[in-house]
């Protein structure tokens, strides 16, 4: 009886840390919406705990972490640890957006970040990546 | 599937979240999940919060959750946001306002978009409430923008409905139009510190009195027919007149009074037998809704088997047949089967 429905991709767009620059996050949230995704926007200045709470409760397929403060080396590991604590890491696609120096990237990939989108990344590229890599559940 | 239910009942947040996702997506097997949950439900108080955009619903819900948590109660929140009619996507921002309950996993907050499935949203909401109830939440809050019939149906899944009115917005008249007045058990004039709040309270009071005085006014809609006689008998002694509460959600002012009022309504529901009547009516409506959807699915399948509805439409346009005749033709074999098996 169930009619086949295309699964809606749910994303959390999260701003962590103390920088107040959320323009990029807004732009990506809107682009994701226009791509047909459901976007939960966290608001500014979120702690890793809040991001984990939101990701677990909202059961998102994708977390896009926007960091422009340079604190990615402490914030991203905390989020990933939190996700693991709730068994939510395995089937969640973790993306990082913002300014991440080249030398810091390998470490983030190592942690389990699927992709890093810097200032030059196009919206189409990002959306296509999400579509292709959103976890099968 | 069974493991998922076990995990949910054992209090695993991830399992609860996943069950709600399956409910929302109507994933294969979701019906079995909801069926299995049913026997574990019936313990939570369900509160509906509605009102126009910007009335302060999310902020009030945040403060409600905080107060409940201070009393040692656990809380589930379902916040429903409209989705974009163009892309089907949505930005769900209600979570931003849940600032008082950061990191507290015992406030389970879930955003849902109105995914434009016809009538499906109230079913999904009902089912998600069941998941939270079975999980063991003491208080479940369903928050939605009050804009139309769909939203009215959603808040009807609640035992107690609070309608938020921002002061001085002229929204009172709008509400009358939307038929939201009839579903309110409690009115909340939020942002009561703003100019014009007194006037809004006065206007509302007048409207509530007018409603009660009107001979056409049913009793809350819920259980209207059953209640006619009961009402005539004990009119005034134990009828519920929606109180008007003033709050300033931003500072938390008035929230205690508001929650007390909700408790009063809850105990009134229990005392008068209204809760039982409501519950019965809700389950009857749920069964009917499910069957309507199933029957519609069956008919869609039948059309598919006959090569789609379009050829019938062609025939109707060419005046070879008419919609009634088509309906008869399609329903006839189904009817025959059903009667055969009865």
């Amino acid at each position: 009886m169930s009619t086949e429905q295309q699964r809606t991709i749910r994303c959390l767009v999260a701003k962590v840390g103390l920088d107040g620059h959320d323009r990029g996050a807004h732009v990506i949230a809107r682009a994701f919406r226009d791509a047909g995704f459901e976007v939960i926007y966290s608001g500014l200045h979120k702690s890793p705990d809040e991001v984990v709470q939101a990701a677990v409760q909202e059961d998102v397929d994708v977390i896009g972490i926007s960091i422009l403060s340079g604190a990615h080396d402490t914030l991203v590991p905390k989020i990933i640890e939190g996700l693991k604590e709730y068994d939510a890491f395995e089937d969640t696609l973790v993306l990082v957006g913002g300014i991440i120096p080249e030398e810091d990237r390998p470490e983030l990939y190592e942690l389990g970040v699927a992709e890093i989108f810097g200032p030059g990344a196009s919206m189409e590229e990002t959306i296509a990546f999400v579509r292709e890599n959103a976890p099968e559940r | 599937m069974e493991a998922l239910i076990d995990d949910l009942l054992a209090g695993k947040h991830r399992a609860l979240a996943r069950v709600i996702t399956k409910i929302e997506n109507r994933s294969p097997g979701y019906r079995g999940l909801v069926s299995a949950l049913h026997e574990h439900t019936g313990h939570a108080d369900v509160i509906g919060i509605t009102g126009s955009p910007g009335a302060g619903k999310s902020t009030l819900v945040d403060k409600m959750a905080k107060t409940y948590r201070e009393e040692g109660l656990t809380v589930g929140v379902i916040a429903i946001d409209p989705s974009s009619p163009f892309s089907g996507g949505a930005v769900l921002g209600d979570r931003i306002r849940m600032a008082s309950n950061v990191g507290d996993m015992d406030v389970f907050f879930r955003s849902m978009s109105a995914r434009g499935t016809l009538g499906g949203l109230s079913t999904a909401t009902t089912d998600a409430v069941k998941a939270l109830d079975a999980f063991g939440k003491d208080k479940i809050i369903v928050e939605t923008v009050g804009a139309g019939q769909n939203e009215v149906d959603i808040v009807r899944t609640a035992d107690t409905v609070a309608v938020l009115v921002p002061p001085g917005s002229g929204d009172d008249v709008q509400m009358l139009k939307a038929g939201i007045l009839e579903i309110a058990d409690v009115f909340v004039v939020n942002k009561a510190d703003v100019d014009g709040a007194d006037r809004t309270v006065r206007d509302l009071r007048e409207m509530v009195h007018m409603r009660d005085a009107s001979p056409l006014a049913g009793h809350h809609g819920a259980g209207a027919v059953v209640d006619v006689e009961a009402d005539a008998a004990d009119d005034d002694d134990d009828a519920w007149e929606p109180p008007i509460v003033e709050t300033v959600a931003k500072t938390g002012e008035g929230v205690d009074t508001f929650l007390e009022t909700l408790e009063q309504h809850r105990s009134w529901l229990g005392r008068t037998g209204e809760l039982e009547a409501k519950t019965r009516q809700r389950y009857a409506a749920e069964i009917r809704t499910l069957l309507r959807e199933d029957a519609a699915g069956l008919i869609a399948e039948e059309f598919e088997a006959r090569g789609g509805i379009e050829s019938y439409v062609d025939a109707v346009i060419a005046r070879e047949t008419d919609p009634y005749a088509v309906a008869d033709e399609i329903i006839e074999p189904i009817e025959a089967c059903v009667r055969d098996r009865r």
Side-chain angles (χ1 to χ4, degrees):
Chain A
M1 190 120 322
S2 70
T3 39
E4 271 304 313
Q5 259 188 6
Q6 208 200 335
R7 198 169 67 91
T8 305
I9 295 175
R10 280 167 77 87
C11 312
L12 174 67
V13 173
K15 273 298 302 174
V16 285
L18 296 177
D19 74 275
H21 305 283
D22 57 357
R23 185 166 167 79
H26 279 206
V27 170
I28 196 85
R30 209 170 302 169
F32 278 180
R33 179 198 65 190
D34 292 342
F37 305 165
E38 276 173 12
V39 185
I40 289 106
Y41 178 56
S42 74
L44 273 173
H45 308 312
K46 296 301 160 184
S47 69
D49 276 357
E50 281 172 86
V51 174
V52 170
Q53 185 185 15
V56 170
Q57 297 186 345
E58 301 287 357
D59 195 19
V60 292
D61 305 281
V62 183
I63 307 181
I65 309 166
S66 162
I67 307 180
L68 295 164
S69 66
H72 47 269
D73 50 342
T74 54
L75 295 170
V76 175
K78 277 188 189 155
I79 290 172
I80 287 177
E81 262 164 55
L83 290 175
K84 283 182 177 161
E85 196 183 316
Y86 288 99
D87 302 323
F89 174 68
E90 287 303 316
D91 55 0
T92 305
L93 187 71
V94 180
L95 308 177
V96 172
I99 299 162
I100 312 289
E102 204 55 59
E103 65 268 27
D104 291 355
R105 293 184 176 210
E107 201 182 327
L108 293 182
Y109 286 127
E110 185 83 4
L111 277 168
V113 170
E115 194 53 277
I116 297 164
F117 295 95
S122 81
M123 214 52 86
E124 290 76 23
E125 191 188 326
T126 313
I127 287 166
F129 186 87
V130 169
R131 282 226 172 91
E132 239 156 76
N133 294 283
E136 282 296 323
R137 285 176 169 173
Chain B
M1 194 68 82
E2 238 163 71
L4 196 55
I5 294 279
D6 288 345
D7 282 352
L8 182 149
L9 294 174
K12 289 218 170 126
H13 291 94
R14 186 63 169 171
L16 172 59
R18 187 55 51 86
V19 166
I20 296 178
T21 303
K22 287 187 180 295
I23 286 168
E24 259 199 299
N25 287 339
R26 306 193 153 203
S27 314
Y30 94 95
R31 293 172 75 118
L33 279 177
V34 183
S35 292
L37 289 173
H38 183 77
E39 62 171 311
H40 303 283
T41 62
H43 307 292
D45 288 351
V46 186
I47 300 149
I49 304 280
T50 187
S52 46
K57 295 179 294 296
S58 305
T59 311
L60 183 66
V61 168
D62 179 45
K63 292 299 190 305
M64 289 170 74
K66 181 174 176 244
T67 312
Y68 283 138
R69 291 296 296 135
E70 283 162 4
E71 292 169 19
L73 300 167
T74 56
V75 183
V77 180
I78 298 171
I80 297 155
D81 246 1
S83 60
S84 159
F86 302 110
S87 65
V91 175
L92 308 170
D94 289 321
R95 223 188 154 92
I96 301 176
R97 315 252 180 263
M98 292 302 288
S100 311
N101 299 284
V102 163
D104 178 2
M105 271 298 206
D106 285 323
V107 176
F108 191 100
F109 185 99
R110 182 63 177 244
S111 319
M112 275 168 75
S113 81
R115 279 187 195 168
T117 39
L118 196 71
L121 187 58
S122 55
T123 307
T125 311
T126 309
D127 293 344
V129 165
K130 280 187 192 181
L132 289 165
D133 190 348
F135 187 82
K137 293 297 180 195
D138 300 307
K139 302 281 179 185
I140 298 169
I141 304 170
V142 178
E143 178 205 327
T144 176
V145 171
Q149 189 55 47
N150 217 350
E151 286 72 20
V152 170
D153 286 344
I154 290 162
V155 291
R156 281 226 171 103
T157 60
D159 304 316
T160 300
V161 176
V163 174
L164 261 71
V165 191
S169 58
D171 256 41
D172 31 20
V173 185
Q174 293 299 322
M175 277 198 319
L176 266 175
K177 277 191 208 156
I180 276 186
L181 187 70
E182 285 78 4
I183 61 163
D185 298 307
V186 179
F187 285 103
V188 182
V189 176
N190 191 33
K191 306 185 186 176
D193 53 342
V194 169
D195 278 349
D198 293 351
R199 192 167 163 206
T200 307
V201 172
R202 233 178 15 247
D203 287 353
L204 271 173
R205 196 158 286 147
E206 219 165 274
M207 265 196 298
V208 170
H209 285 311
M210 256 164 47
R211 178 182 89 160
D212 283 356
S214 158
L216 286 174
H219 192 269
H220 275 251
V225 183
V226 190
D227 272 345
V228 169
E229 273 177 55
D231 256 4
D234 63 14
D235 210 17
D236 293 339
D237 352 315
D238 214 359
W240 181 263
E241 186 181 287
I244 298 151
V245 185
E246 292 174 69
T247 59
V248 184
K250 234 158 104 188
T251 62
E253 219 179 301
V255 172
D256 286 335
T257 316
F258 172 49
L259 294 190
E260 255 165 59
T261 310
L262 293 179
E263 285 312 313
Q264 281 163 14
H265 183 255
R266 178 77 191 184
S267 68
W268 175 84
L269 283 174
R271 194 170 62 235
T272 55
E274 189 77 17
L275 185 63
E276 203 199 323
K278 253 190 186 197
T279 307
R280 292 191 66 87
Q281 211 202 15
R282 206 182 298 146
Y283 284 136
E286 196 183 331
I287 295 168
R288 284 198 195 96
T289 305
L290 285 176
L291 282 174
R292 221 177 352 252
E293 284 172 27
D294 289 352
L298 198 62
I299 287 163
E301 196 185 306
E302 182 62 17
F303 268 121
E304 207 132 305
R306 289 164 180 250
I309 199 168
E310 289 307 321
S311 57
Y312 287 94
V313 174
D314 289 341
V316 168
I317 289 172
R319 299 292 182 280
E320 289 158 15
T321 182
D322 66 286
Y324 280 93
V326 174
D328 283 344
E329 186 187 330
I330 301 292
I331 206 78
E332 201 272 331
I334 298 174
E335 230 170 39
C337 286
V338 170
R339 293 206 170 118
D340 222 36
R341 297 268 300 261
R342 192 177 291 147

